[in-house]
Amino acid sequence: MDQFINLTLNGLTNGAVYAALALSLIIIYQATRVVNFAQPALALIAVYIAYTVSQHTGSYWLGFAAALVSGLVMGALTERILIRPVHGRSPLSAIIVTLGLLLVLQGIAGMVWSSEPHSFPYPLDYRGRFSAADVFAVASVGAAALLVFALYRFTPLGLRMRAAAFHPEAARMSGVRVGLMLTAGWAVASVIGALAGMLATPPFLFPHALDAVFVYGITAAVVGGLDNPFGAIFGGLLIGLGLSYVSGYAGPELTTLAALAILVVVLSIRPAGLFTRPTARKV
Amino acid sequence: MASSLRHRDPAAADARRRGNGGASPARRWRALPALVRHLLAAAAAFAAVMLVTSVTGPMTDLRIGSVGYYLLAVAGLQLLIGFSGQISLGHGAFMFIGAYTMALLVLHQPMLPLWLNMLITIAVSCVAGVLVGAATARLHGPYLAGATLTLAVGLPGIATRFPELFGGGNGLSFSTRGAPPALAGIVSDSQWQAGAVWLTTLLALVVLATVSAGRLGRRMRAIRDDEAAAALSGIPVGRTKVIAFVISAGCGGLAGASQAYLLGTATPSSFTVTLSLSLLAALVLGGFGSLWGAFWGALTLVYFDVWGSDLAHGLDLGTDVANNLPVVLYGAVLILIMLIWPQGVHGAVRGLGALLRRR
């Protein structure tokens, strides 16, 4: 029973991080119909920048802020420079471009900061059951999710962003700057990705530190359904808990296979994820 | 091999027919059944590989062999993505299955001949392809990409989970017989190995080329272009997609087996997500929709690494920079190709050919 509680709490903490990554993927998918495979690399560079800033200033929180800001800038730049030119081509083009960016950024991280692992601190004390660091992870992801929902639901900017994502033509006619809104969507998503990176990286930072986390993040997004932010949160927690139980009771080597199993089971029941509303079929 | 490039381009054949009058060699070539043409082209290609490897050393032979198995894997992916329109980010998983099947067969059944091992590998990886293909046949675009990506990440975990059977993180190493004694002195061991890999690859390519030129290939392209229209005109969409997946998985498994045979090892660390992504990258680089694209892609996959590290050594760069240079170059080329020349190398070659003919 004790182990069950431990695994549950642990699963919730990890699940919050997967949910954040899934949320960042879904914001981008909703805005531009692109699955951003470069997300782990963008987050990785943000975390490396946080590492450098923390080293120079001695403050973890300055580094944290630097990560979020650099995430914002990189997300916006990626959309402007790389995604805009392939917009409207086959979905494969955008996937390839983000994969290319993933390779470039991971390679650059290895070149600049070396492939050797650096020790990277937790934001708060991490010892014991549901430590301060765990509370911080769950709370900050929860806060980020609430902020995103508030942004989309209650602010004029959010309204324009939703309009640009769902009905670009109609939005353009009503005077919304659709291109700017798509860039804003990428920027918001990359900030959340950078947050997830900061939470997932400790104790060690190296160029492939976020790969596994990203795979669970994309699994969570696909399980939840790429069209629904609530699905991302639910999918993240589901994957987090599922992997935690499998890792605790069956062995940590099986976690990735467990993610695959969850994915296959969910998708064979609902091929477009748990939370996607049924739409009209073409055939 | 050059002639087979031309026969694929109807415009070229037309031009030659007009130029030479009725019974040109090109016309006679086109009159042959597709299977015979593909077999003849494969025989010519095999002769070319044996000719090249007879003058090169073991190091180059190894690289030529590597181009062979990458060609096989990328060509299988071409059938899946380029012809049937299903995105797979997890083809490294099938190479993993093939490599471990080969390693286990050599270690536990050492008396079996190589060709039988290859056939068993095909059977095993096709079964895996049926399982995965049936589970994913209803998925589209990003959902399929996500599922196959998870497959590529998850599967190598099996090797570390069952270390007694799969050798854990160190994997399995084994040695194979080199050239048969009768040929000692005529072909070197490395030439024999490269030749065996290329023979496997070329035979598989004959199958792929024949399939894609026939009814099944037409059905796949119909599904790729418009699934709803294909279903309306009576094409069994689900079954055709699963068949494409199975053929593609078989090629991936065979490529993995060839790799294991060539290198004498199968380790989980060789089948990372990066491998699966590189296969896709090679396909894009080569160009969609043609098996020639797979050839250019495989060539780049092997030689980008070689040239990247040569360049880094030549410029006397630090280890961190040198180690990461190939992957950065690879990613940058991928992005540039997508932004500037989406047709890939095959498109460029075709464009160049058209330009020359106009002269």
Side-chain angles (χ1 to χ4, degrees):
Chain A
M1 196 61 209
D2 206 38
Q3 198 199 357
F4 180 77
I5 296 171
N6 277 341
L7 291 176
T8 307
L9 290 175
N10 192 23
L12 284 179
T13 313
N14 291 339
V17 176
Y18 306 152
L21 266 176
L23 190 60
S24 76
L25 290 173
I26 280 173
I27 292 172
I28 287 177
Y29 186 75
Q30 283 193 327
T32 46
R33 297 281 135 182
V34 171
V35 176
N36 181 15
F37 285 96
Q39 192 63 267
L42 293 171
L44 180 81
I45 299 288
V47 176
Y48 268 113
I49 289 175
Y51 171 78
T52 310
V53 170
S54 297
Q55 290 279 308
H56 283 284
T57 59
S59 158
Y60 175 84
W61 296 107
L62 272 179
F64 199 92
L68 298 189
V69 172
S70 50
L72 183 95
V73 174
M74 283 189 296
L77 286 179
T78 305
E79 199 279 330
R80 268 291 140 113
I81 299 171
L82 299 178
I83 303 301
R84 190 68 59 87
V86 296
H87 198 75
R89 285 209 220 136
S90 83
L92 198 58
S93 313
I95 290 183
I96 306 287
V97 168
T98 56
L99 288 175
L101 184 63
L102 172 78
L103 296 177
V104 169
L105 290 181
Q106 277 189 341
I108 287 179
M111 282 182 177
V112 176
W113 288 282
S114 108
S115 303
E116 296 298 312
H118 304 290
S119 70
F120 191 82
Y122 288 86
L124 299 165
D125 187 44
Y126 59 92
R127 281 158 297 185
R129 172 191 285 185
F130 217 54
S131 64
D134 292 341
V135 174
F136 177 74
V138 173
S140 57
V141 170
L146 283 179
L147 280 176
V148 168
F149 292 141
L151 170 76
Y152 277 91
R153 191 63 63 189
F154 299 120
T155 66
L157 176 67
L159 182 66
R160 288 197 202 106
M161 286 168 76
R162 274 190 293 156
F166 289 114
H167 292 288
E169 285 313 312
R172 193 170 285 120
M173 279 180 225
S174 335
V176 175
R177 294 179 62 190
V178 171
L180 193 66
M181 292 305 119
L182 299 185
T183 310
W186 274 73
V188 169
S190 298
V191 171
I192 300 173
L195 170 70
M198 288 300 286
L199 298 175
T201 300
F204 292 111
L205 175 58
F206 53 97
H208 289 281
L210 297 176
D211 287 7
V213 184
F214 172 72
V215 170
Y216 302 141
I218 194 175
T219 311
V222 168
V223 162
L226 287 167
D227 274 319
N228 192 320
F230 293 102
I233 307 286
F234 180 83
L237 294 180
L238 179 75
I239 296 287
L241 286 174
L243 297 191
S244 180
Y245 295 140
V246 169
S247 166
Y249 292 121
E253 307 89 352
L254 292 182
T255 41
T256 39
L257 280 177
L260 182 64
I262 296 174
L263 191 71
V264 167
V265 168
V266 169
L267 289 184
S268 41
I269 301 166
R270 290 184 63 97
L274 287 174
F275 282 82
T276 302
R277 272 175 249 107
T279 49
R281 283 278 175 98
K282 269 198 281 183
V283 184
Chain B
M1 198 116 175
S3 52
S4 82
L5 174 66
R6 273 186 234 119
H7 91 258
R8 251 162 255 237
D9 196 334
D14 278 338
R16 238 186 326 283
R17 226 168 305 171
R18 279 196 302 276
N20 299 348
S24 69
R27 185 165 196 174
R28 237 173 287 146
W29 172 252
R30 279 195 70 77
L32 291 170
L35 183 63
V36 176
R37 273 191 325 227
H38 296 146
L39 277 173
L40 286 175
F46 184 67
V49 169
M50 292 319 278
L51 202 66
V52 172
T53 46
S54 66
V55 292
T56 49
M59 189 69 193
T60 314
D61 290 349
L62 186 68
R63 279 177 196 161
I64 291 174
S66 307
V67 174
Y69 68 74
Y70 278 126
L71 168 58
L72 180 52
V74 179
L77 207 54
Q78 180 75 277
L79 185 89
L80 189 69
I81 303 181
F83 293 166
S84 86
Q86 306 182 79
I87 301 172
S88 167
L89 301 182
H91 249 55
F94 295 110
M95 287 185 72
F96 169 87
I97 291 173
Y100 272 83
T101 309
M102 176 60 110
L104 289 172
L105 283 172
V106 173
L107 286 173
H108 296 289
Q109 301 291 333
M111 290 318 291
L112 292 182
L114 181 62
W115 60 267
L116 191 58
N117 285 353
M118 292 288 189
L119 286 182
I120 295 173
T121 309
I122 295 179
V124 171
S125 41
C126 282
V127 169
V130 170
L131 294 178
V132 180
T136 56
R138 293 163 74 199
L139 304 182
H140 293 264
Y143 294 95
L144 183 59
T148 47
L149 181 71
T150 318
L151 176 73
V153 177
L155 206 58
I158 288 186
T160 37
R161 182 67 182 82
F162 302 103
E164 320 78 40
L165 185 57
F166 297 114
N170 294 328
L172 303 167
S173 12
F174 56 92
S175 56
T176 49
R177 291 182 291 269
L183 291 174
I186 306 170
V187 290
S188 65
D189 282 354
S190 62
Q191 192 192 357
W192 174 261
Q193 284 185 313
V197 168
W198 269 90
L199 188 63
T200 312
T201 299
L202 289 167
L203 287 177
L205 284 181
V206 167
V207 173
L208 286 178
T210 312
V211 163
S212 70
R215 189 178 64 162
L216 194 56
R218 266 197 312 280
R219 287 180 163 183
M220 286 177 194
R221 281 187 288 271
I223 291 173
R224 174 194 67 189
D225 293 338
D226 191 336
E227 203 171 312
L232 281 176
S233 45
I235 293 175
V237 172
R239 193 162 32 131
T240 311
K241 279 176 140 180
V242 175
I243 291 174
F245 212 99
V246 171
I247 297 176
S248 176
C251 290
L254 204 51
S258 304
Q259 184 196 33
Y261 167 73
L262 201 62
L263 306 180
T265 56
T267 52
S269 58
S270 342
F271 302 98
T272 54
V273 186
T274 316
L275 171 71
S276 297
L277 297 188
S278 318
L279 293 178
L280 179 65
L283 178 59
V284 174
L285 212 64
F288 283 112
S290 153
L291 293 177
W292 274 99
F295 174 69
W296 303 121
L299 207 60
T300 352
L301 205 53
V302 172
Y303 278 91
F304 238 78
D305 269 355
V306 177
W307 289 332
S309 43
D310 282 357
L311 180 70
H313 285 302
L315 297 177
D316 210 16
L317 302 168
T319 10
D320 282 326
V321 177
N323 288 343
N324 287 299
L325 192 63
V327 69
V328 171
L329 284 177
Y330 212 67
V333 168
L334 211 51
I335 294 174
L336 288 176
I337 291 251
M338 232 45 233
L339 294 185
I340 300 166
W341 193 260
Q343 296 95 328
V345 179
H346 178 66
V349 171
R350 281 239 303 241
L352 201 67
L355 202 70
L356 287 177
R357 272 195 302 279
R358 223 171 292 147
R359 289 270 158 101

